[in-house]
Structure formats: C-alpha cells, structure tokens
Amino acid sequence: MEGLYQLETVILLLGVVLALTTIAQKIFIPYPILLVVGGLILGLIPGLPTVTLSPNLVFLVFLPPILWAAAYFTSWREFHDNLRPISLLAVGLVLATTAAVAFVARMLLPGMGWAEAIALGAIVSPPDAVSATAIGKRLQIPRRVVAILEGESLVNDATALILYRTAVGAAVGGSFAVGHTLIEFVFAAVAGVVIGIVVGMVARWALCLAGDSFTEIAITLLAPYVAWVLGELTHASAVLACVAGGLHVRKHFSAAVSPVTRLQARAVWNLLVFVLNGFIFILIGLQLGALRQAIPAGQLAQVVIAGVLVSLTAILVRLGWVPLAALIPRWLSPSLRARDPLPAWPNIFIIGWTGMRGIVTLAAALALPVATAAGTPFPFRAEIILISFSVILATLVVQGLSLTPVIRLLRLEEDRGLEREEMLAREHAATVALERLDELASESWLMGDQVERLRLHYSRQLRRFAKGGAVDADCSIEAGEAFRRLRHETISAERVALIALRNDGTISDEVLHRLEYELDVESLRLGIGERRVPR
C-alpha cells in the first residue's frame, strides 16, 4: 500500500505541475518560480502529508539528464569564447561567496565552527543550471550574457561540491588540509572531464552501430547516468563528467544519427527535462513543511533572520564580484581591453543580478550527515538546511520575479548576432546544395527536369535570403523515388555544410539546431528520415 500511496502522490504532483506551468504561461511568469511558490503554499497547508526529498534521488535521478541536456544545448563556441568570465564566476565567485557566507554565518550563529560555516557557504554559492536555463532563455537577455550564465552554472557545481565535501569531512572527522583540498580539486576536475569525454565517445560509437531510433534514443538517455556513476565511483566530478559528455555528444550527434532519431530524441528529451524540472521546483517548495519541523520554535526567528542576511550576503557578493571580474582583467591587460572592450554596464548588472539557486543547493544541504565520526549530532545541520532554503527562495523568487522589470528598465541592446549568423548559414547551405546539384546533373537515375526544378527552388531561396525574406521549404515537386534520392543528396550536402560552419566557429550550435531541425522535418515529410548523412 505504501508504494501505491507514493504513486498517487507522484501523479498528484504531476497534475499540479502541469496546472501551474499552464498558469505561468498565461501570466508570463517563468514556471520555476510559480512552481516553487506553489510547492511552498502546499507545504504550509495543515493536514497535508510532509513530502521529504532524498538527496540521493536528486543527485542520481534528476541531475545527470538535466546537466547533460543543458550541456548539449550549450554552444561550445560561446562557452570557449567566454571561458575567462565563466571561470572567474564558476571558481572565483564560488570561493568568494563561500568565504563571505562563512564569515557572516559564524557571526549570526554563535558556536558554529569554520567547517560548518564553510559547508554552508559552499552549499549556497553556486547558481543553479536548471534555474539559469529555465528562466534566462525565456527573457530577452543578450546572447553573450546567457552564454556566460549557462557556462557558469554548468561548471560552478564542481567547485562548490568539492569545497562542500572537504568542509563536511572536516566537520565530521575534525581535520582539514588545504593541500589535500587543492589536489582533490584538480583531480576531480580533470578526471571528470576525461570520464565525460570517454563516455561521450563510447555513446557516439554505440549510436553509429545502432540500427533503430528507439535504441539510439535509449543510448542518449543512458549515457548521462553512466557518466555520473563513473564519476562518483572514481571520486571525480560527476557534474563535469555530465557536462563534458553532453558537449562531446552534441558535437557529433548530427552526423551519427538519422533525421527521424533527432526529431524523436528532441521530443523525448524536451518532455523528460520538462517533467524533471517541474518536479524539482515544486519539491523545493514542498520541503518547507519538513524543514520548519526540524527547528525548535524558540530558535526559528533567529534562523529566519540568519537566512535573510545570508541571502543578502550571497546577492551582494555577486553584485560586487561581477563588475570587478569585468574591470580588473582589462585593466591589467591592454591587449584584452583592445580585443574585448568592457561590456555595457546593463549587461554586467544583469549577470550580477541573475544568480538563482536551486536543486543542487537544496540537495547538498539535505545530504549533510546526521552525525559526526564521534557519534555526536552534526553541528547546526537543521539551521544550515533552513538557511539554504531561504537563499533558494530569495534568489529564485525575488530575483527571478524582478528580472523582467529590471530588463525593461535597463533597455538592453537588441542582439541580432544569431539572426545574421542564421542568414549567412542559410545562404551558404543553399549555395552548397546548388553545387551538389551540378555534380549530380549527369547521373543516369535522374528523371525529367527534376534537377532544374530543384535548382530553381534553391535559386529562389537565395533571392529571398538576399532580401531578408522567409525560407520556403516546399519544393512543389513530385515525391518519386528518384526525387527523394536527389533531395536526400542536397539535404545531406546542406547538413554537412552547416556542421562545417559550426565546427569552424562561423555559426553557433543554436543556429545549427534551428536549421538542422528544418532539414529533419523536410526529410521526414519526403520519407527519407531514416537515412543518415553519407560518409
């Protein structure tokens, strides 16, 4: 009966998630915010059963596919081009936030040791990949700002979790070694990246051998869990393993599978990530019912005040760090200043203000051990968990809700870089398709004037692009076997050309995603969706 009750709870929560996300779309609020608020309200209703969230469930079930998907849809070009600001945020800001929060926590909670304070700082320091992706992309934020925020949120968990494990180990065992921590950090980072790339290479090899779409999609679903488990078993960074694996698979996925697999995988992954995100955010809100029971009534007010002040500390440190991280490197390096001028201050402010915490923060807090090695209760465990929840609530709800009016107030410059890249890519793909038609014009299997009519289609497309017009995917030609073969050749030529543009950095992965999707739909419409790119 207990299993049946849990199933009913899951079904009920899924219904609530769907209802709240629908409402969020109607009132133009990012759905993660409304889900957290909805879960918070449900957690406060008397008589409802308390829903507890297992950190092991979060780390093993939720995070691997979410991190993998976030990395998959991250442009490697933009990640590489912004590696300096991403590193300053993902490593430097995490360290600065951890130190500042630890100092404030020790002042607010007398008796808290440095190990527990550093653990709290590490828990609340990393903005969440789920929050940044779910909220940032739904607002009109310049592309480079989004790239920096996404890149930061993919990498900062590794820094924070290594600090967290070291601090927890010191609190449990009573010892702390700086040298050992540095060695562990380097090993975890390097080993995590290596594991991710190896898993990505194996997944790519398996995709090339698989003979049907269902097997190929299953491989993409299994790969992030393999990367995570291997990272955990080797004490490497499982976060970086998933990130590196997702980036590697994305680079080769276009040539490894057929159009129908890409379309089906896109639908499966979109649904999976949506459901996981929905459950995560509503479960964050539901945790309040369990958290408020862990603090004695007489100390609740003190802990809430501490949560507010720690939240302010985390927010203010980020607001101070981001402009310094933008100014100091350019002040020290004239070449950097000439190559990459200081961004507009509204962009800098948006990066500083967008620091929402989420599921990693809560899972790390809930994963705190119950007792030390000596058998005594882990110091300030309940207080750390409630303060962590306060930071999540303050950054996700307060900052998240304020993003839209702040963006309107700042009047950010419109970023049309992706549109220009897309137009360039369309023109190049059409030109390559025309060249391929010229190569095939003398083939004996062609019938009638199919080549000329298809050449007319691409020429018309080029004229439309030159005038800034929309794409016309319908060739208006009979779909006989000869034409389908010819169309497969031209579509494959376009896809290979687009992949080459992505690989040499001319276009981003986002542009490749858009145009590849159109080509895949066209392939499916013509009945050639099972065919892969010729090798």
PDB file of all heavy atoms in Angstrom, residues 203-221:
ATOM      1  N   ALA A 203      29.365   6.520 -26.353  1.00  0.00           N
ATOM      2  CA  ALA A 203      27.975   6.747 -26.781  1.00  0.00           C
ATOM      3  C   ALA A 203      27.907   7.030 -28.278  1.00  0.00           C
ATOM      4  O   ALA A 203      27.014   6.538 -28.980  1.00  0.00           O
ATOM      5  CB  ALA A 203      27.377   7.896 -25.980  1.00  0.00           C
ATOM      6  N   ARG A 204      28.841   7.826 -28.762  1.00  0.00           N
ATOM      7  CA  ARG A 204      28.880   8.125 -30.203  1.00  0.00           C
ATOM      8  C   ARG A 204      29.104   6.852 -31.004  1.00  0.00           C
ATOM      9  O   ARG A 204      28.452   6.621 -32.034  1.00  0.00           O
ATOM     10  CB  ARG A 204      30.003   9.132 -30.460  1.00  0.00           C
ATOM     11  CG  ARG A 204      30.268   9.436 -31.918  1.00  0.00           C
ATOM     12  CD  ARG A 204      31.541  10.255 -32.044  1.00  0.00           C
ATOM     13  NE  ARG A 204      31.939  10.424 -33.429  1.00  0.00           N
ATOM     14  CZ  ARG A 204      33.136  10.867 -33.799  1.00  0.00           C
ATOM     15  NH1 ARG A 204      34.035  11.198 -32.879  1.00  0.00           N
ATOM     16  NH2 ARG A 204      33.439  10.997 -35.079  1.00  0.00           N
ATOM     17  N   TRP A 205      30.035   5.993 -30.557  1.00  0.00           N
ATOM     18  CA  TRP A 205      30.300   4.725 -31.245  1.00  0.00           C
ATOM     19  C   TRP A 205      29.062   3.846 -31.231  1.00  0.00           C
ATOM     20  O   TRP A 205      28.703   3.222 -32.242  1.00  0.00           O
ATOM     21  CB  TRP A 205      31.469   4.037 -30.547  1.00  0.00           C
ATOM     22  CG  TRP A 205      31.727   2.632 -31.015  1.00  0.00           C
ATOM     23  CD1 TRP A 205      32.335   2.242 -32.168  1.00  0.00           C
ATOM     24  CD2 TRP A 205      31.368   1.427 -30.314  1.00  0.00           C
ATOM     25  NE1 TRP A 205      32.390   0.862 -32.242  1.00  0.00           N
ATOM     26  CE2 TRP A 205      31.803   0.341 -31.117  1.00  0.00           C
ATOM     27  CE3 TRP A 205      30.740   1.163 -29.111  1.00  0.00           C
ATOM     28  CZ2 TRP A 205      31.610  -0.982 -30.735  1.00  0.00           C
ATOM     29  CZ3 TRP A 205      30.556  -0.153 -28.717  1.00  0.00           C
ATOM     30  CH2 TRP A 205      30.989  -1.207 -29.530  1.00  0.00           C
ATOM     31  N   ALA A 206      28.367   3.796 -30.091  1.00  0.00           N
ATOM     32  CA  ALA A 206      27.161   2.977 -29.991  1.00  0.00           C
ATOM     33  C   ALA A 206      26.055   3.517 -30.891  1.00  0.00           C
ATOM     34  O   ALA A 206      25.301   2.740 -31.501  1.00  0.00           O
ATOM     35  CB  ALA A 206      26.684   2.927 -28.537  1.00  0.00           C
ATOM     36  N   LEU A 207      25.951   4.832 -30.993  1.00  0.00           N
ATOM     37  CA  LEU A 207      24.940   5.427 -31.863  1.00  0.00           C
ATOM     38  C   LEU A 207      25.189   5.070 -33.320  1.00  0.00           C
ATOM     39  O   LEU A 207      24.250   4.818 -34.079  1.00  0.00           O
ATOM     40  CB  LEU A 207      24.934   6.948 -31.694  1.00  0.00           C
ATOM     41  CG  LEU A 207      24.362   7.493 -30.389  1.00  0.00           C
ATOM     42  CD1 LEU A 207      24.638   8.981 -30.260  1.00  0.00           C
ATOM     43  CD2 LEU A 207      22.868   7.229 -30.301  1.00  0.00           C
ATOM     44  N   CYS A 208      26.444   5.050 -33.721  1.00  0.00           N
ATOM     45  CA  CYS A 208      26.764   4.708 -35.109  1.00  0.00           C
ATOM     46  C   CYS A 208      26.447   3.246 -35.421  1.00  0.00           C
ATOM     47  O   CYS A 208      26.120   2.901 -36.562  1.00  0.00           O
ATOM     48  CB  CYS A 208      28.237   4.992 -35.390  1.00  0.00           C
ATOM     49  SG  CYS A 208      28.678   6.750 -35.348  1.00  0.00           S
ATOM     50  N   LEU A 209      26.533   2.377 -34.409  1.00  0.00           N
ATOM     51  CA  LEU A 209      26.264   0.951 -34.618  1.00  0.00           C
ATOM     52  C   LEU A 209      24.786   0.614 -34.518  1.00  0.00           C
ATOM     53  O   LEU A 209      24.329  -0.373 -35.103  1.00  0.00           O
ATOM     54  CB  LEU A 209      27.034   0.116 -33.590  1.00  0.00           C
ATOM     55  CG  LEU A 209      28.564   0.084 -33.718  1.00  0.00           C
ATOM     56  CD1 LEU A 209      29.154  -0.801 -32.635  1.00  0.00           C
ATOM     57  CD2 LEU A 209      28.987  -0.416 -35.102  1.00  0.00           C
ATOM     58  N   ALA A 210      24.024   1.409 -33.754  1.00  0.00           N
ATOM     59  CA  ALA A 210      22.612   1.099 -33.528  1.00  0.00           C
ATOM     60  C   ALA A 210      21.839   1.146 -34.843  1.00  0.00           C
ATOM     61  O   ALA A 210      22.130   1.946 -35.731  1.00  0.00           O
ATOM     62  CB  ALA A 210      22.021   2.078 -32.517  1.00  0.00           C
ATOM     63  N   GLY A 211      20.833   0.293 -34.926  1.00  0.00           N
ATOM     64  CA  GLY A 211      20.094   0.190 -36.172  1.00  0.00           C
ATOM     65  C   GLY A 211      18.710   0.789 -36.161  1.00  0.00           C
ATOM     66  O   GLY A 211      18.032   0.784 -37.189  1.00  0.00           O
ATOM     67  N   ASP A 212      18.229   1.272 -35.028  1.00  0.00           N
ATOM     68  CA  ASP A 212      16.883   1.837 -34.991  1.00  0.00           C
ATOM     69  C   ASP A 212      16.849   3.027 -34.037  1.00  0.00           C
ATOM     70  O   ASP A 212      17.712   3.186 -33.161  1.00  0.00           O
ATOM     71  CB  ASP A 212      15.867   0.789 -34.552  1.00  0.00           C
ATOM     72  CG  ASP A 212      16.138   0.303 -33.129  1.00  0.00           C
ATOM     73  OD1 ASP A 212      17.015  -0.570 -32.957  1.00  0.00           O
ATOM     74  OD2 ASP A 212      15.483   0.812 -32.209  1.00  0.00           O
ATOM     75  N   SER A 213      15.822   3.850 -34.199  1.00  0.00           N
ATOM     76  CA  SER A 213      15.720   5.095 -33.448  1.00  0.00           C
ATOM     77  C   SER A 213      15.534   4.862 -31.957  1.00  0.00           C
ATOM     78  O   SER A 213      16.081   5.598 -31.128  1.00  0.00           O
ATOM     79  CB  SER A 213      14.555   5.942 -33.986  1.00  0.00           C
ATOM     80  OG  SER A 213      14.797   6.316 -35.321  1.00  0.00           O
ATOM     81  N   PHE A 214      14.742   3.852 -31.593  1.00  0.00           N
ATOM     82  CA  PHE A 214      14.475   3.621 -30.179  1.00  0.00           C
ATOM     83  C   PHE A 214      15.759   3.260 -29.426  1.00  0.00           C
ATOM     84  O   PHE A 214      15.990   3.728 -28.309  1.00  0.00           O
ATOM     85  CB  PHE A 214      13.429   2.514 -30.022  1.00  0.00           C
ATOM     86  CG  PHE A 214      12.072   2.892 -30.532  1.00  0.00           C
ATOM     87  CD1 PHE A 214      11.566   2.323 -31.685  1.00  0.00           C
ATOM     88  CD2 PHE A 214      11.318   3.844 -29.871  1.00  0.00           C
ATOM     89  CE1 PHE A 214      10.317   2.688 -32.164  1.00  0.00           C
ATOM     90  CE2 PHE A 214      10.072   4.210 -30.334  1.00  0.00           C
ATOM     91  CZ  PHE A 214       9.564   3.644 -31.482  1.00  0.00           C
ATOM     92  N   THR A 215      16.595   2.428 -30.044  1.00  0.00           N
ATOM     93  CA  THR A 215      17.873   2.082 -29.411  1.00  0.00           C
ATOM     94  C   THR A 215      18.760   3.300 -29.292  1.00  0.00           C
ATOM     95  O   THR A 215      19.425   3.517 -28.264  1.00  0.00           O
ATOM     96  CB  THR A 215      18.582   0.992 -30.219  1.00  0.00           C
ATOM     97  OG1 THR A 215      17.731  -0.147 -30.333  1.00  0.00           O
ATOM     98  CG2 THR A 215      19.888   0.592 -29.557  1.00  0.00           C
ATOM     99  N   GLU A 216      18.792   4.117 -30.330  1.00  0.00           N
ATOM    100  CA  GLU A 216      19.639   5.324 -30.310  1.00  0.00           C
ATOM    101  C   GLU A 216      19.183   6.299 -29.230  1.00  0.00           C
ATOM    102  O   GLU A 216      20.013   6.880 -28.518  1.00  0.00           O
ATOM    103  CB  GLU A 216      19.609   5.989 -31.686  1.00  0.00           C
ATOM    104  CG  GLU A 216      20.307   5.164 -32.765  1.00  0.00           C
ATOM    105  CD  GLU A 216      20.010   5.642 -34.166  1.00  0.00           C
ATOM    106  OE1 GLU A 216      19.071   6.454 -34.333  1.00  0.00           O
ATOM    107  OE2 GLU A 216      20.702   5.213 -35.099  1.00  0.00           O
ATOM    108  N   ILE A 217      17.880   6.485 -29.091  1.00  0.00           N
ATOM    109  CA  ILE A 217      17.373   7.386 -28.052  1.00  0.00           C
ATOM    110  C   ILE A 217      17.679   6.818 -26.676  1.00  0.00           C
ATOM    111  O   ILE A 217      18.044   7.556 -25.747  1.00  0.00           O
ATOM    112  CB  ILE A 217      15.864   7.617 -28.243  1.00  0.00           C
ATOM    113  CG1 ILE A 217      15.599   8.360 -29.552  1.00  0.00           C
ATOM    114  CG2 ILE A 217      15.285   8.412 -27.068  1.00  0.00           C
ATOM    115  CD1 ILE A 217      14.137   8.465 -29.917  1.00  0.00           C
ATOM    116  N   ALA A 218      17.537   5.494 -26.527  1.00  0.00           N
ATOM    117  CA  ALA A 218      17.847   4.865 -25.244  1.00  0.00           C
ATOM    118  C   ALA A 218      19.315   5.073 -24.875  1.00  0.00           C
ATOM    119  O   ALA A 218      19.657   5.273 -23.696  1.00  0.00           O
ATOM    120  CB  ALA A 218      17.516   3.374 -25.296  1.00  0.00           C
ATOM    121  N   ILE A 219      20.193   5.059 -25.864  1.00  0.00           N
ATOM    122  CA  ILE A 219      21.618   5.299 -25.603  1.00  0.00           C
ATOM    123  C   ILE A 219      21.826   6.712 -25.075  1.00  0.00           C
ATOM    124  O   ILE A 219      22.592   6.935 -24.127  1.00  0.00           O
ATOM    125  CB  ILE A 219      22.438   5.066 -26.883  1.00  0.00           C
ATOM    126  CG1 ILE A 219      22.440   3.575 -27.245  1.00  0.00           C
ATOM    127  CG2 ILE A 219      23.874   5.578 -26.720  1.00  0.00           C
ATOM    128  CD1 ILE A 219      23.025   3.276 -28.606  1.00  0.00           C
ATOM    129  N   THR A 220      21.144   7.685 -25.673  1.00  0.00           N
ATOM    130  CA  THR A 220      21.290   9.070 -25.204  1.00  0.00           C
ATOM    131  C   THR A 220      20.753   9.230 -23.783  1.00  0.00           C
ATOM    132  O   THR A 220      21.251  10.074 -23.023  1.00  0.00           O
ATOM    133  CB  THR A 220      20.563  10.053 -26.132  1.00  0.00           C
ATOM    134  OG1 THR A 220      19.138   9.843 -26.068  1.00  0.00           O
ATOM    135  CG2 THR A 220      21.026   9.894 -27.571  1.00  0.00           C
ATOM    136  N   LEU A 221      19.737   8.461 -23.419  1.00  0.00           N
ATOM    137  CA  LEU A 221      19.190   8.544 -22.066  1.00  0.00           C
ATOM    138  C   LEU A 221      20.087   7.851 -21.046  1.00  0.00           C
ATOM    139  O   LEU A 221      20.162   8.265 -19.883  1.00  0.00           O
ATOM    140  CB  LEU A 221      17.791   7.912 -22.025  1.00  0.00           C
ATOM    141  CG  LEU A 221      16.701   8.623 -22.824  1.00  0.00           C
ATOM    142  CD1 LEU A 221      15.424   7.803 -22.816  1.00  0.00           C
ATOM    143  CD2 LEU A 221      16.436  10.011 -22.270  1.00  0.00           C
TER     144      LEU A 221
END
